[in-house]
Amino acid sequence: MTGNEIREMFLRFFEEKGHRRVRSSSLVPMNDPTLLFTNAGMNQFKDVFLGLDRRDYARATSCQKCVRAGGKHNDLESVGFTNRHHTFFEMLGNFSFGDYFKKDAIAFAWELLLSKNWYGLPLGKLYFTVFGGAEVAPGNILSMDGEAAELWVKTGAPRERVIAVPGLKENFWAMGDTGPCGPCSEVHFDMGPAASEDRHTDCSFPCECGRRDRRRFPSTGRTGRCRPWPRNCPTWRCG
């Protein structure tokens, strides 16, 4: 399958699920002084997530051209040393603006990745990670995302392949001290020991193939306090 076929299949799948196909926005963001370059598919929807803008659709899918050569998402120093870092790439994504949430997002991911009508990946190669809980401030603990774990199992994932990863580094999305943030879930494709960048022979899931964010809690600063976001807005990224 070529890159063009992978891109088109992703966009067509989500169009059939009621998503509007939205063009990639400019690499130089318009009316956004916080970014020098577009670094994620959700950039053009920031105001929609924040409730400052409304679209005539509640579901979207896109293939966004991205540059990551500075700021928080800076992959420049890793280019050439790993098999998975780039400064310029396309990011496939689907977005829900207060429409569906975890149950449907996980069902969509499962169908797209495993159905013979779509990518048809072998289940035996996939692992599923969820947020395993973390202390965001002294005495303030966010619990494990057990809901996502159970949804993966109910959808068909073997329980032993659903792994809770504790901490805020791997399965918790945030861009700063304040603003939207929340637990996320990832799907990993095991390409085997030969693909390990550190020559590991016992890696369980060395390669990430997709990521689905759950923007559920906006942080309220360095205190680590969180409050529910007014609308559930899941997204899925696949770079």
Side-chain angles (χ1 to χ4, degrees), residues 35-133:
L35 292 171
L36 180 61
F37 297 111
T38 296
N39 61 10
M42 60 81 63
N43 289 168
Q44 66 171 306
F45 302 115
K46 282 170 64 174
D47 284 348
V48 182
F49 287 125
L50 293 172
L52 303 175
D53 184 25
R54 297 188 69 87
R55 304 289 177 93
D56 62 351
Y57 49 85
R59 303 180 178 193
T61 186
S62 68
C63 181
Q64 176 65 51
K65 295 176 176 62
C66 299
V67 168
R68 291 192 172 180
K72 177 187 175 184
H73 292 307
N74 181 11
D75 292 338
L76 188 59
E77 300 300 323
S78 299
V79 173
F81 296 96
T82 74
N83 295 322
R84 56 192 174 87
H85 286 94
H86 311 276
T87 51
F88 174 77
F89 61 97
E90 290 183 326
M91 181 182 290
L92 295 164
N94 66 286
F95 309 86
S96 169
F97 310 120
D99 187 8
Y100 60 85
F101 196 42
K102 295 182 185 182
K103 181 178 180 181
D104 291 315
I106 286 175
F108 289 157
W110 183 271
E111 181 180 355
L112 175 62
L113 294 176
L114 288 136
S115 172
K116 297 299 182 182
N117 296 325
W118 301 101
Y119 292 138
L121 299 180
L123 177 58
K125 289 286 189 178
L126 300 183
Y127 291 82
F128 310 85
T129 61
V130 299
F131 176 61

Side-chain angles (χ1 to χ4, degrees), residues 10-29:
F10 184 99
L11 296 172
R12 183 162 50 86
F13 173 85
F14 283 103
E15 278 188 312
E16 293 188 9
K17 302 298 181 182
H19 294 64
R20 174 79 60 85
R21 186 184 297 213
V22 180
R23 290 185 60 186
S24 173
S25 61
S26 170
L27 274 177
V28 179

Side-chain angles (χ1 to χ4, degrees), residues 122-228:
L123 177 58
K125 289 286 189 178
L126 300 183
Y127 291 82
F128 310 85
T129 61
V130 299
F131 176 61
E135 187 174 32
V136 295
N140 189 356
I141 298 176
L142 289 180
S143 60
M144 169 193 165
D145 190 359
E147 179 186 6
E150 287 304 312
L151 285 169
W152 280 118
V153 172
K154 288 180 180 179
T155 303
R159 189 172 293 275
E160 66 273 13
R161 287 179 174 265
V162 180
I163 301 165
V165 181
L168 299 175
K169 183 179 179 181
E170 297 297 333
N171 282 87
F172 194 88
W173 181 91
M175 283 300 296
D177 291 333
T178 61
C181 63
C184 65
S185 182
E186 296 182 341
V187 182
H188 301 262
F189 186 91
D190 186 354
M191 296 196 299
S196 173
E197 293 158 3
D198 296 319
R199 310 278 187 211
H200 293 164
T201 59
D202 58 351
C203 290
S204 296
F205 39 92
C207 182
E208 178 189 56
C209 74
R211 185 178 184 126
R212 188 172 29 268
D213 286 320
R214 281 85 155 87
R215 286 175 185 76
R216 193 176 188 183
F217 303 104
S219 168
T220 56
R222 296 185 180 276
T223 60
R225 290 177 297 170
C226 296
R227 58 185 173 83

